[in-house]
Amino acid sequence: MNSQQPSLAQGLLAGQRGALARAITWAENADRRFPQLLEDVYAAVGRSHRLGVTGPPGAGKSTLVNQLARHLRELERTVGILAVDPSSPFTGGALLGDRIRMEERTLDPGVFIRSMASRGSRGGLARATVDAFDVMDAFGFDQLIVETVGVGQAEYDVVGAADTVLVVLCPGAGDGVQAMKSGLLEVADVLCINKADLPGADRMVADLEEAVHIRTAGKGLWMPPVVSVSAGTDQGLDGLLEAIQSHRAWLEAEGRLQLSRQEQRLDQVQRVLREGFDHAIWEGRGLEGYARAMIKASRTPHGAAERILEQLKAALPSEWAQVQEETQP
Ligand SMILES: Nc1nc2c(ncn2[C@@H]2O[C@H](COP(=O)(O)OP(=O)(O)OP(=O)(O)O)[C@@H](O)[C@H]2O)c(=O)[nH]1
Ligand SMILES: [Mg+2]
């Protein structure tokens, strides 16, 4: 173990919440000490089930996550929750409400809740979320949940970092049609129609079941169950938990979870690389001067970038191609 921060890694593994909070801050800030920390605790990563919860603003995601956490606690399972603060102005108002409702759970040591600022950054949010999930996983929660608003690619990337994606919709406002158009349906492993106490829920369930059937039937794919609940009045949560559990069981059969985790890791390598790449090539290698010289020599910006890219490609180590050949089946 690295001598510089044994206490944080050990604190994390010993279940100290202060250590967990600090580790997540490092993850969020892409702190330089984070990679070593993750290395020190990595043997303990991989036991939690990761649930991503997304859906349009106001669908009832926070209410639902709160209820899910309550039911999971009744089953004596510990829960770590990340709430990605929506940076979009039209959802900003719900934030305080979220906090207050989620506060109910924070007195329970079996539940940990943390908000993450989305800061509108593309790969950055997903990278930080996965890093935070990894340290929460090492800490030892049975269930990890991330809530995000399904409005853009960054949000899809975040839920894509989960084992199981729960898409929450509610009747009215054309949500069902909108979800089908926006591709929300494609990312869903479980579809939840919340606010079943409102009119139109049954119709929506039927429509979505049909859409799911058309998409998946006969293709050997997972067929996402459509579950209707009323989080506000705590109706139907058992059925929802069962649906989540059935997806988890499906993943764990035939090594699918392992494959899916490998893909998640690969995505994370790409995100971390992307964040580090700009910095690495511009820093201390004279690239800026080189680019300026090309601009002076009246290259177009595209021409200059293309030239630099060609040179970078030529510099890629040849053993990469070999490793790839060796690992091909
Ligand atoms: N009628 C009804 N209202 C509900 C139900 N569940 C949640 N709500 C209400 O829906 C509103 C939005 O709930 P939230 O849980 O904040 O929704 P959200 O999806 O987290 O919202 P954002 O995070 O802002 O996107 C609140 O006023 C809730 O009280 C339900 O089952 N039935
Ligand atoms: Mg919310």
Side-chain angles (χ1 to χ4, degrees), residues 56-63 91 94 98 101 147 149 194-195 197-198 230-232:
K61 299 176 294 297
S62 300
T63 313
T91 54
D98 278 5
R101 260 173 284 136
E147 178 201 335
V149 179
N194 185 35
K195 310 194 188 182
D197 51 298
L198 300 181
S230 173

Side-chain angles (χ1 to χ4, degrees), residues 10-72:
Q10 282 165 357
L12 190 68
L13 295 173
Q16 292 168 10
R17 289 167 80 97
L20 176 60
R22 186 134 173 258
I24 295 176
T25 301
W26 284 8
E28 263 189 299
N29 298 340
D31 192 288
R32 298 168 69 148
R33 293 163 288 184
F34 186 82
Q36 184 62 52
L37 170 69
L38 188 58
E39 190 135 352
D40 290 343
V41 301
Y42 208 62
V45 175
R47 284 176 284 209
S48 315
H49 178 248
R50 301 173 179 210
L51 178 70
V53 178
T54 192
K61 299 176 294 297
S62 300
T63 313
L64 193 67
V65 168
N66 196 43
Q67 296 286 20
L68 278 176
R70 203 161 63 79
H71 282 256
L72 286 163

Side-chain angles (χ1 to χ4, degrees), residues 146-319:
V146 57
E147 178 201 335
T148 183
V149 179
V151 290
Q153 188 57 47
E155 285 75 17
Y156 290 156
D157 288 349
V158 171
V159 289
D163 302 319
T164 300
V165 175
L166 172 66
V167 170
V168 183
L169 302 167
C170 64
D175 268 5
V177 178
Q178 202 49 46
M180 290 183 217
K181 280 189 189 157
S182 67
L184 256 186
L185 234 51
E186 264 116 273
V187 300
D189 298 308
V190 177
L191 275 158
C192 173
I193 311 307
N194 185 35
K195 310 194 188 182
D197 51 298
L198 300 181
D202 292 346
R203 177 66 204 274
M204 198 171 177
V205 169
D207 286 352
L208 286 169
E209 274 176 345
E210 195 184 324
V212 163
H213 189 81
I214 291 167
R215 228 177 67 76
T216 56
K219 293 179 187 157
L221 297 171
W222 167 254
M223 195 178 289
V226 184
V227 186
S228 84
V229 308
S230 173
T233 55
D234 194 15
Q235 304 282 307
L237 269 291
D238 290 336
L240 181 61
L241 275 175
E242 262 169 44
I244 294 167
Q245 187 51 43
S246 69
H247 181 254
R248 184 181 180 174
W250 179 83
L251 271 180
E252 280 171 357
E254 296 170 41
R256 290 187 194 96
L257 183 62
Q258 218 180 339
L259 278 180
S260 155
R261 290 266 169 96
Q262 272 172 24
E263 291 309 304
Q264 290 175 25
R265 299 266 164 250
L266 185 62
D267 284 350
Q268 187 70 339
V269 171
Q270 286 181 346
R271 290 186 201 105
V272 175
L273 257 183
R274 222 176 287 138
E275 277 187 31
F277 192 70
D278 263 9
H279 185 74
I281 66 164
W282 287 103
E283 202 72 3
R285 301 225 175 251
L287 179 58
E288 187 179 328
Y290 185 56
R292 283 182 192 281
M294 278 196 281
I295 292 163
K296 265 196 200 134
S298 70
R299 287 241 191 195
T300 64
H302 290 270
E306 213 161 279
R307 176 84 191 108
I308 292 166
L309 202 58
E310 272 166 25
Q311 289 173 316
L312 279 173
K313 278 188 192 159
L316 296 181
S318 56
E319 68 254 35

